[in-house]
Amino acid sequence: MKRKPFLAGNWKMNLDRKASVELARGLRDALAGTNDRDVAVFPPFVYLDEVVQALAGSPIKVGAQNLCDEKNGAFTGEISAEMLVDVGAKLVLVGHSERRHLYGESDELCNRKVQRALSVGLDVVLCVGEKLDERDGGRTDAVIGRQLEAGLAGVAAGSMGKLTVAYEPVWAIGTGRNATPEQAGAAHTHLRGVLRRLYGDAIAQSVRIQYGGSVKPDNISTLMNAPDVDGALVGGASLKVDSFLGIVRFK
Ligand code: 13P
């Protein structure tokens, strides 16, 4: 099955208000009318509102980098799914490795966040990825399979159209050392097999799996040619118009 490529920029904790809006406007102007691939950006929470406005009428979707697993109440410092919808976000990252490993987010917490996001109609990009010692110990498939299955616990087949999976090996994030197309392809094929076991072949074939980790304009094409790679989740190279465009416009 041919899946529409999905290229997304995770801005992480970078840029300021002015730079965020300028980047959004630059992408909007360059990508007007783009419909053969899906594009999204994930700005910091505090700039979501303005980036949504800057991208009004553009095919580029705006998402948040995180959300709270609770609906509302005494959760100081947290941001709810409803608040994201309120400012016009359409999707949200869950389980990014920086959340899992720097802030201790468990598979169970990620699962609650997935459920919360889906309950308000947000699309979800569920991130999975192994650490270097896990890869070196031959545990890549076990780790990413567990993260995927646990993250999707209780998610009905009917919601899977709102799900994207991002495979982001931790050792490749921000290191300049991208996974080889063979490594990415093997991991993606394993993840698609997990989806097949959980949801059957038709759904497994329709879910897009992005690769993330040191994606750059000069390696995107070979990565996109790897089996089961349907797009990219880009950090550093998504912070400038030209470099992100060089990825979005891969051939
Ligand atoms: P880099 O592209 O900077 O390696 O970051 C990848 C990533 O974590 C995207 O979510």
Side-chain angles (χ1 to χ4, degrees):
M1 182 201 243
K2 189 98 184 78
R3 292 171 292 267
K4 192 176 185 183
F6 181 15
L7 296 310
N10 173 8
W11 299 356
K12 307 191 181 186
M13 198 171 75
N14 291 299
L15 308 176
D16 57 15
R17 180 204 298 256
K18 184 163 175 283
S20 295
V21 172
E22 279 174 9
L23 176 53
R25 288 193 182 135
L27 296 173
R28 175 195 65 193
D29 294 347
L31 295 172
T34 300
N35 55 20
D36 63 338
R37 51 201 72 195
D38 289 329
V39 182
V41 293
F42 294 89
F45 284 132
V46 290
Y47 306 132
L48 276 173
D49 200 356
E50 276 167 291
V51 170
V52 165
Q53 290 177 44
L55 292 174
S58 157
I60 305 169
K61 293 210 174 84
V62 182
Q65 299 171 17
N66 187 21
L67 80 164
C68 185
D69 61 317
E70 298 282 350
K71 189 174 164 63
N72 65 285
F75 302 100
T76 301
E78 293 292 322
I79 304 284
S80 73
E82 283 81 356
M83 291 170 183
L84 299 181
V85 172
D86 196 23
V87 295
K90 299 289 183 220
L91 62 172
V92 64
L93 299 179
V94 174
H96 190 279
S97 72
E98 287 145 24
R99 301 299 321 167
R100 291 178 188 269
H101 301 306
L102 301 178
Y103 297 97
E105 293 195 6
S106 65
D107 289 338
E108 293 69 30
L109 178 61
C110 292
N111 177 244
R112 291 199 300 277
K113 292 185 176 199
V114 169
Q115 307 256 20
R116 274 278 37 249
L118 292 173
S119 76
V120 301
L122 287 166
D123 284 0
V124 173
V125 179
L126 175 61
C127 307
V128 301
E130 83 287 2
K131 295 188 282 188
L132 188 56
D133 63 311
E134 293 166 336
R135 170 163 287 269
D136 289 345
R139 299 198 301 280
T140 296
D141 285 356
V143 168
I144 63 178
R146 185 205 76 225
Q147 290 173 335
L148 181 61
E149 185 162 2
L152 293 175
V155 173
S159 294
M160 289 303 289
K162 302 192 75 62
L163 245 296
T164 298
V165 177
Y167 169 62
E168 299 204 301
V170 179
W171 47 271
I173 296 177
T175 58
R177 179 185 164 198
N178 61 286
T180 65
E182 292 72 26
Q183 288 170 324
H188 285 224
T189 300
H190 177 71
L191 291 169
R192 201 173 302 288
V194 173
L195 292 171
R196 187 175 300 113
R197 174 165 58 74
L198 296 173
Y199 293 101
D201 194 52
I203 287 175
Q205 289 299 334
S206 67
V207 173
R208 292 180 295 190
I209 307 178
Q210 297 175 316
Y211 167 78
S214 299
V215 174
K216 303 279 182 287
D218 63 5
N219 61 25
I220 181 68
S221 295
T222 47
L223 286 163
M224 288 300 297
N225 274 329
D228 290 302
V229 175
D230 307 311
L233 183 56
V234 185
S238 74
L239 298 174
K240 294 223 161 71
V241 173
D242 287 350
S243 58
F244 191 50
L245 283 180
I247 291 168
V248 169
R249 291 176 166 155
F250 79 92
K251 294 219 177 55

